[in-house]
Structures are given as structure tokens and as C-alpha cells.
Amino acid sequence: MVPKRDDVRPPPGPVGAAGSHDEPATLHDTHVVLLDGDRVLLRPLKAADAALYPDFLNDVTTDDLRLRFFAPMRALSPEMVDKLTHYDPAHAMAFIAIEENSGRMLGVVRLHDDNSGKNGEFAILVRSQLKGHGLGWMLMKHMIAYAKEKGLENVRGQVLAENSTMLTMCAELGFHVADDPDEKGVRLVTLPLAEVPALVH
Ligand SMILES: CC(C)(COP(=O)(O)OP(=O)(O)OC[C@H]1O[C@@H](n2cnc3c(N)ncnc32)[C@H](O)[C@@H]1OP(=O)(O)O)[C@@H](O)C(=O)NCCC(=O)NCCS
């Protein structure tokens, strides 16, 4: 059972203690501007953000849910939202994007360590009507910068072969793309963080 915590800052470890000088900069509030000039706050996802999910999910199509979760689904259950918003910050991190004008949730990216603790597996979802405004790119770069600061070796993800937007974006971000030998119709994308400059913002 993943412990419920409001504070998602990681404990002391490779990424440094909360408040210490070596805490990853990506854990602080980060302000970005989308291609349309919309101002967006990126910060770690908190348990209280579950309240923002219903409005967010109202604007996520069933097709985008399928691209994200690899299964047909009309909606996310409250239990699923609860699980997504309660994670162990020692082994996982999630960043939420919030529109500064309205306080609306615009997207989320997450990164879960594998058993070795050397690699992180990401997943990302952006409000469907906002696709193409540059938010996915910014969330990915923020997550990659966090992974780099944390000292992970690789960021990995599974992407449906039909998901050309995501595969193109991953290739542009430097990911290596290969067929998943275990799952037909799925691509594995891998970014060796040694190939990424320290500052990707
Ligand atoms: C895939 C997804 C995350 C992309 O997010 P998005 O906000 O629509 O993407 P962006 O607008 O940031 O990027 C779209 C395009 O702009 C490019 N781009 C955006 N900002 C850029 C920048 N600053 N510099 C260079 N290129 C940029 C991207 O590479 C991409 O290029 P392309 O059109 O040439 O392929 C989003 O469509 C989504 O949530 N899909 C459903 C869920 C999903 O598929 N998740 C992935 C599997 S986990």
C-alpha cells in the first residue's frame, strides 16, 4: 500500500534533503509560458490535487485515456485518481501543470523508479483541447530534468505504435525508440540521461 502523504518532497537520499542546497530545483515551483502565451505553473503533484482531477478529466477524450493507459476506458474511477495522487516520493514523482489564470489542471507527468532504482518509467497526459500548445514538451523536459537531478541512469516509457505525436516528441527529445519485444503494437522509448545536458529547461 502506497503511504498517503501531502508532502511529496523526497526524503534525504541521492537527491538531497528537503530544504537543503542540493534539493532538485525541479521540485520548486516552476513558471513556464506555452506557445499561446498561457502562463503555467509546474510543481510536484499533491494529494489535495485529486480535487482538480474531475474538471481535468472532463476534458480528456476516451481516446487520449486509451493512449495513456493502454486500455479502453470511459473515465477514471475515484479510486484510480486516489492512487495516482498518493505516491511514495522515495520511488516516484509526479508533476502537475496548472493554468495560472484559472487554477485549472492542464496536465500531469509521472516517473516511477524501477526495482533497480536506476531507471524511471514515465507516463504523461495533457488536457485534450490543449494538445499542440507545447505543454507536453515542457512537462517532459521538466520530468527529464528531475530524473537527471535525481541521478537516474535512464528514463523509459511505453508508447503505442500509433501514437505518432508522442513518438515524434520523444525522438526530438533524444529518446531511442525500439519495438517492445514483449508487447505487439508497443514501442519502448529510452533516454540515457548521460546523453542529456544538465540543464534542459
Ligand atoms: C502526447 C501528449 C502528451 C503530447 O502533448 P502536447 O501538449 O499535445 O504536445 P506539444 O504541444 O508539447 O508538442 C507537440 C509538438 O510540438 C513539438 N514541440 C512543442 N514544444 C516544443 C519546443 N519548445 N521545441 C521544440 N518542439 C516543440 C513537439 O515535439 C511536437 O512536435 P511535432 O508536432 O513535430 O510532433 C498529448 O497529446 C497527450 O496527452 N496525449 C494523450 C496521452 C498520451 O498519448 N500519452 C503518452 C503515452 S504515456
Side-chain angles (χ1 to χ4, degrees):
M1 173 93 181
V2 176
K4 295 196 174 190
R5 292 185 53 162
D6 275 314
D7 179 1
V8 295
R9 288 176 190 276
V15 297
S20 74
H21 67 280
D22 57 350
E23 180 184 68
T26 44
L27 293 181
H28 301 155
D29 286 2
T30 302
H31 301 272
V32 297
V33 180
L34 300 187
L35 300 175
D36 61 4
D38 209 1
R39 293 181 176 277
V40 174
L41 166 68
L42 307 182
R43 63 156 171 77
L45 182 78
K46 298 183 289 198
D49 294 327
L52 300 177
Y53 266 77
D55 172 68
F56 171 64
L57 292 169
N58 268 341
D59 193 18
V60 175
T61 64
T62 51
D63 203 43
D64 281 349
L65 281 182
R66 183 181 60 83
L67 292 174
R68 161 65 179 86
F69 293 99
F70 290 25
M73 53 174 73
R74 275 203 218 120
L76 289 191
S77 65
E79 292 74 24
M80 184 76 170
V81 171
D82 188 67
K83 201 173 157 199
L84 290 169
T85 49
H86 292 89
Y87 56 93
D88 179 355
H91 305 291
M93 180 49 59
F95 294 101
I96 186 172
I98 295 178
E99 189 173 43
E100 299 204 3
N101 278 344
S102 65
R104 294 188 311 161
M105 174 178 178
L106 300 183
V108 61
V109 66
R110 49 199 317 120
L111 187 72
H112 288 251
D113 296 353
D114 69 4
N115 290 337
S116 73
K118 294 180 179 172
N119 310 302
E121 178 152 353
F122 76 86
I124 181 167
L125 184 61
V126 165
R127 199 177 261 266
S128 298
Q129 283 188 6
L130 197 75
K131 288 199 295 185
H133 290 219
L135 180 60
W137 177 272
M138 286 181 182
L139 279 170
M140 289 294 290
K141 292 200 87 163
H142 196 73
M143 175 273 292
I144 292 165
Y146 168 76
K148 180 96 181 165
E149 288 178 312
K150 187 176 178 181
L152 295 181
E153 290 181 8
N154 298 286
V155 168
R156 295 178 174 150
Q158 283 186 305
V159 180
L160 290 178
E162 71 194 73
N163 196 346
S164 53
T165 303
M166 191 63 201
L167 289 171
T168 303
M169 186 162 75
C170 286
E172 288 174 0
L173 286 164
F175 283 79
H176 303 259
V177 182
D179 287 339
D180 186 333
D182 301 321
E183 284 190 70
K184 199 166 174 277
V186 175
R187 298 273 155 79
L188 289 178
V189 296
T190 305
L191 182 65
L193 292 166
E195 297 176 7
V196 177
L199 287 174
V200 296
H201 269 298

